[in-house]
């Protein structure tokens, strides 16, 4: 009976995998036959904001970013969603940087409201986008506001510090001002118990630090701590400058904890709470003498790939009670490990 259950689980997984492959192939064929429904090519960057057309940046097939740009003045609602890194299903660094640059050059654009719903991410990408938004403000003299969704923590809060005014939903979780620079897992004793030995050929005593085949040294911990401290100083200084809070007070708040929206207002980490429409109204009141300007959404969305279908198949099987651990092993091996608010250094 045990073997039958185990085999049934594997068979079910194979069926789901075949179906996901079939769907993936169908999507590819469909996109080739109906390219206009998946993306709209642009012949040059100057075509981007003309003719009131939907558009997408051609990173690869089936990546879709669509909005409509009016012929009149508008405010850009720039969505920053998901883990901040080079690229994932909801976040694409190059698209964001390119969009900010295009908005900077477009005379019809009168400002940006960042809609941030992110647990954070890498130091490099968060700071790069922060600097791009600072450049947008400096060169255009246009306002940048930020509206926080359900979660705007760590690197998400860092990017939000580029804004002149920050509003959050009353149920937002924000803050998490701190840095993760590394994580060492020492399994040398476990490997020794089971007779597993790893030999890494390297030059430079710290070149292979963090490898599973060796224990971390005090020197290596000090190296990574120095990186963390430097990034932390950068982060807290940006918060101090953006929010006009003494650095010593920022560091009292910046112990890595998260804050509710109400707590964030009390600690001056954000300005107020409300909904997105109220945030837009305040921008129009403060910056445009109550002139009502349309807000246009700019949002990155990536169509599902074969990898996504594969992961969905593994996830669907994870809850099924079988004696086969295959789906669990696949999902755990391929799923991102950082699931909590984090602003972290990545090589």
């Amino acid at each position: 009976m045990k073997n039958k259950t185990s085999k049934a689980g594997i068979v079910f997984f194979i069926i789901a995998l075949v179906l996901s492959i079939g769907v993936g192939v169908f999507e590819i064929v469909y996109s080739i036959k109906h390219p206009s429904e998946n993306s709209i090519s642009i012949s040059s960057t100057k075509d981007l904001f003309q003719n009131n057309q939907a558009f997408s940046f051609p990173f690869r097939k089936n990546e879709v970013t669509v909005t409509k740009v009016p012929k009149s003045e508008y405010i850009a609602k720039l969505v920053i969603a998901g883990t901040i890194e080079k690229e994932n299903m909801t976040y694409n660094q190059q698209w964001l940087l390119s969009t900010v640059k295009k908005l900077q050059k477009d005379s019809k654009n009168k400002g940006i409201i960042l809609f941030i719903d992110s647990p954070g991410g890498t130091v490099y990408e968060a700071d790069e986008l922060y600097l791009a938004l600072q450049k947008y403000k400096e060169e255009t003299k246009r306002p940048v506001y930020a509206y926080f969704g359900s979660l705007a923590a760590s690197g998400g809060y860092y990017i939000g510090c580029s804004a002149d005014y920050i509003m959050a939903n009353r149920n937002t979780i924000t803050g998490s001002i701190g840095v993760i620079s590394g994580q060492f897992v020492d399994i040398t004793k476990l490997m020794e118990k089971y007779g597993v030995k790893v030999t890494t050929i390297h030059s430079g005593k710290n070149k292979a630090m963090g490898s599973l085949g060796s224990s971390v040294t005090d020197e290596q911990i000090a190296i990574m701590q120095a990186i963390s401290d430097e990034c932390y100083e950068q982060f807290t200084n940006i918060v101090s400058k953006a929010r006009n809070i003494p650095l010593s007070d920022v560091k009292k708040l910046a112990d890595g904890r998260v804050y509710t929206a109400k707590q964030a207002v009390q600690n001056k980490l954000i300005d107020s709470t409300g909904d997105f429409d109220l945030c837009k109204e305040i921008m129009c009141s403060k910056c445009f003498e109550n002139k009502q300007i349309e807000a246009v959404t700019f949002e990155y969305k990536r169509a599902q790939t074969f990898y996504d279908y594969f992961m969905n198949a593994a996830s669907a099987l994870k809850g099924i009670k079988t004696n086969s651990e295959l789906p669990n092993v696949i999902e755990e091996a391929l799923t991102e490990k950082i699931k909590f608010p984090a602003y972290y250094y990545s090589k």
Side-chain angles (χ1 to χ4, degrees):
M1 183 69 180
K2 186 176 181 180
N3 290 336
K4 287 183 179 180
T5 306
S6 178
K7 288 180 180 179
I10 295 174
V11 169
F12 190 83
F13 175 75
I14 292 172
I15 292 172
L17 181 59
V18 170
L19 287 173
S20 71
I21 293 172
V23 173
V25 171
F26 172 78
E27 290 287 343
I28 293 171
V29 173
Y30 191 84
S31 67
I32 293 172
K33 290 184 177 181
H34 305 82
S36 62
E37 295 184 22
N38 290 282
S39 66
I40 297 174
S41 298
I42 52 176
S43 58
S44 64
T45 54
K46 68 180 181 180
D47 294 333
L48 191 58
F49 292 102
Q50 293 179 352
N51 303 322
N52 196 27
Q53 294 180 339
F55 68 90
S56 69
F57 289 83
F59 288 101
R60 71 166 77 99
K61 286 187 180 298
N62 282 339
E63 289 187 352
V64 184
T65 309
V66 178
T67 190
K68 288 188 177 181
V69 182
K71 295 179 180 179
S72 57
E73 296 178 342
Y74 68 94
I75 296 167
K77 175 186 176 183
L78 184 60
V79 178
I80 299 169
T83 302
I84 299 161
E85 56 188 358
K86 185 176 180 180
E87 178 186 4
N88 55 51
M89 284 293 293
T90 58
Y91 186 95
N92 187 297
Q93 182 75 359
Q94 288 308 310
W95 179 82
L96 282 165
L97 294 174
S98 179
T99 300
V100 171
K101 189 176 292 185
K102 303 294 189 301
L103 292 169
Q104 186 174 316
K105 294 179 180 179
D106 183 26
S107 60
K108 297 194 302 297
N109 171 252
K110 297 304 174 184
I112 296 175
I113 300 179
L114 306 172
F115 184 94
I116 302 175
D117 193 355
S118 170
T122 56
V123 169
Y124 183 86
E125 276 77 14
D127 188 57
E128 187 178 38
L129 183 54
Y130 166 83
L131 292 174
L133 289 162
Q134 288 293 94
K135 184 177 180 181
Y136 168 92
K137 289 200 301 182
E138 290 168 6
E139 296 194 1
T140 65
K141 308 303 179 186
R142 301 173 200 159
V144 171
Y145 276 38
Y147 183 80
F148 290 171
S150 61
L151 180 63
S154 209
Y157 182 76
Y158 187 114
I159 294 172
C161 285
S162 63
D164 307 306
Y165 186 94
I166 301 175
M167 177 179 283
N169 181 281
R170 65 181 182 178
N171 295 306
T172 295
I173 296 298
T174 188
S176 188
I177 303 168
V179 182
I180 297 172
S181 63
Q183 187 177 62
F184 295 103
V185 179
D186 187 352
I187 62 169
T188 52
K189 296 295 183 183
L190 181 65
M191 292 169 66
E192 183 180 330
K193 178 180 178 180
Y194 289 98
V196 178
K197 185 178 181 180
V198 176
T199 302
T200 304
I201 309 302
H202 63 95
S203 57
K205 61 180 179 179
N206 292 311
K207 183 62 179 176
M209 67 177 180
S211 65
L212 295 179
S214 60
S215 299
V216 63
T217 67
D218 291 341
E219 181 183 19
Q220 291 166 356
I221 291 175
I223 289 169
M224 297 309 295
Q225 186 63 56
I227 292 173
S228 181
D229 292 344
E230 185 175 321
C231 294
Y232 179 79
E233 287 298 319
Q234 178 177 284
F235 196 166
T236 52
N237 272 280
I238 282 174
V239 175
S240 176
K241 182 179 178 181
R243 302 303 304 164
N244 195 26
I245 305 173
L247 183 60
S248 58
D249 291 344
V250 170
K251 289 187 175 181
K252 290 176 183 177
L253 299 169
D255 61 1
R257 77 180 68 185
V258 293
Y259 295 94
T260 65
K262 183 178 179 179
Q263 291 169 341
V265 171
Q266 291 170 347
N267 288 303
K268 300 181 180 179
L269 293 175
I270 66 173
D271 294 290
S272 63
T273 60
D275 59 19
F276 180 82
D277 289 339
L278 179 59
C279 184
K280 176 178 168 290
E281 284 179 22
I282 292 174
M283 176 188 261
C284 289
S285 174
K286 288 179 176 287
C287 306
F288 309 119
E289 298 179 342
N290 283 319
K291 180 181 179 182
Q292 294 305 303
I293 301 177
E294 181 181 357
V296 179
T297 301
F298 291 77
E299 182 174 12
Y300 174 83
K301 293 180 181 180
R302 196 191 82 195
Q304 287 198 338
T305 63
F306 168 73
Y307 168 84
D308 302 313
Y309 290 117
F310 182 82
M311 287 299 297
N312 289 340
S315 297
L317 285 167
K318 190 173 182 181
I320 295 176
K321 293 182 178 180
T322 71
N323 293 315
S324 171
E325 295 296 325
L326 181 62
N328 294 21
V329 170
I330 291 172
E331 185 180 40
E332 288 171 8
L334 297 177
T335 302
E336 295 178 21
K337 299 302 179 186
I338 294 181
K339 292 295 185 183
F340 48 87
Y343 176 67
Y344 55 94
Y345 170 82
S346 177
K347 291 191 292 184

